Amino acid sequence: MDGLHQQLGPRLHEARLRLALARPLAEAALAGVSGKGGLAAMSGWIPQRLLSALRDTLEARFHGCYWLDMREPSPGEMAEVPSLMRYPAWLKPFVPMVKSYGVPRYGEFDPTLPFALTYLLLFGAMFGDVGHGAVILLLAAALYRRLGRMAWVGMAAGAASIGFGLLYGSIFGYEDIIEPIWLSPLHDPVRVLTLAVVFGIGFIAFTLLANSWNRWVSGQIGKALFDSNGLAGL
């Protein structure tokens, strides 16, 4: 064993170093980089807003000795394009809830904003009470350091509950303290049920349109038009 170690040890060590040095090149080749001699080619995806910065960087590094070709992805490449989502600060707490169902592909409809608005709207409509909403809002604000950005969800839900509580004229379950701005659910249940049905129909139609758009941008024109979850489902 000692003889084999002395005989093969240096060669194995050299091979290990060569493989370690070649690893970045192999990874670059898998990422779309190739080269021969003094030439190198690289392909990839970049946000459109960063194209000017990329061009300036290449110009500063190679002084015109480069060729940059830019194009939009073809329909067949849509599944390969990475998704880069940017959200305003107030919307970011809702992003993990949406991503738990998956991440939209490039070009697909991003449901984060409608999800956030619908979440708050339904919470306020189902839990509309000025007193209870104020408790939720204050409790979420008090736990801001512990909950972080998720506290904004609680505060927004509490505010929505307060808003609908004013519309319903409800304070801690009492509906005889203030007059409702809109309607009283306990005294007008038929109207409330009618509005719920209308909202449900509109929401289903919206989801069918969003699904049709996703099918369309992915090149599945037939499914976008004639699938039961597409325009034909309307």
Side-chain angles (χ1 to χ4, degrees):
M1 293 295 294
D2 293 338
L4 288 175
H5 178 73
Q6 294 178 358
Q7 181 181 358
L8 301 178
R11 297 174 61 184
L12 291 175
H13 180 68
E14 182 182 358
R16 180 182 179 184
L17 291 178
R18 288 179 177 272
L19 290 174
L21 293 174
R23 180 177 179 178
L25 299 177
E27 293 177 347
L30 293 175
V33 181
S34 59
K36 185 176 182 180
L39 299 177
M42 176 183 295
S43 62
W45 309 103
I46 186 173
Q48 189 172 10
R49 60 185 177 84
L50 297 180
L51 287 177
S52 298
L54 174 62
R55 187 182 289 106
D56 295 340
T57 302
L58 292 174
E59 183 64 31
R61 177 65 177 83
F62 299 107
H63 306 289
C65 298
Y66 68 93
W67 179 49
L68 180 62
D69 183 26
M70 300 171 291
R71 62 176 178 82
E72 291 289 333
S74 63
E77 296 174 328
M78 286 296 186
E80 303 175 8
V81 183
S83 298
L84 178 61
M85 306 296 180
R86 304 182 68 190
Y87 303 99
W90 65 270
L91 192 59
K92 288 182 179 180
F94 296 93
V95 173
M97 302 182 191
V98 177
K99 284 190 175 181
S100 64
Y101 295 95
V103 178
R105 293 180 178 179
Y106 176 80
E108 289 187 344
F109 177 76
D110 185 0
T112 305
L113 178 59
F115 171 84
L117 297 178
T118 305
Y119 179 89
L120 297 176
L121 177 66
L122 292 179
F123 185 91
M126 293 186 295
F127 204 69
D129 189 281
V130 176
H132 295 153
V135 171
I136 295 174
L137 191 153
L138 294 175
L139 185 61
L143 296 176
Y144 178 77
R145 290 187 177 181
R146 177 174 296 183
L147 298 178
R149 291 188 302 186
M150 291 303 297
W152 287 107
V153 178
M155 295 169 64
S161 180
I162 293 174
F164 274 90
L166 293 173
L167 295 177
Y168 297 159
S170 176
I171 301 179
F172 288 112
Y174 295 98
E175 297 189 357
D176 54 356
I177 299 178
I178 60 175
E179 289 292 327
I181 298 176
W182 182 28
L183 59 84
S184 175
L186 292 179
H187 296 88
D188 199 357
V190 176
R191 187 179 180 187
V192 173
L193 291 175
T194 302
L195 292 172
V197 172
V198 172
F199 177 83
I201 294 174
F203 188 79
I204 292 174
F206 175 78
T207 57
L208 291 176
L209 291 174
N211 186 68
S212 298
W213 170 261
N214 292 341
R215 298 289 190 181
W216 185 278
V217 298
S218 63
Q220 304 178 40
I221 310 301
K223 290 186 177 181
L225 297 176
F226 305 111
D227 191 76
S228 59
N229 293 323
L231 290 180
L234 294 174

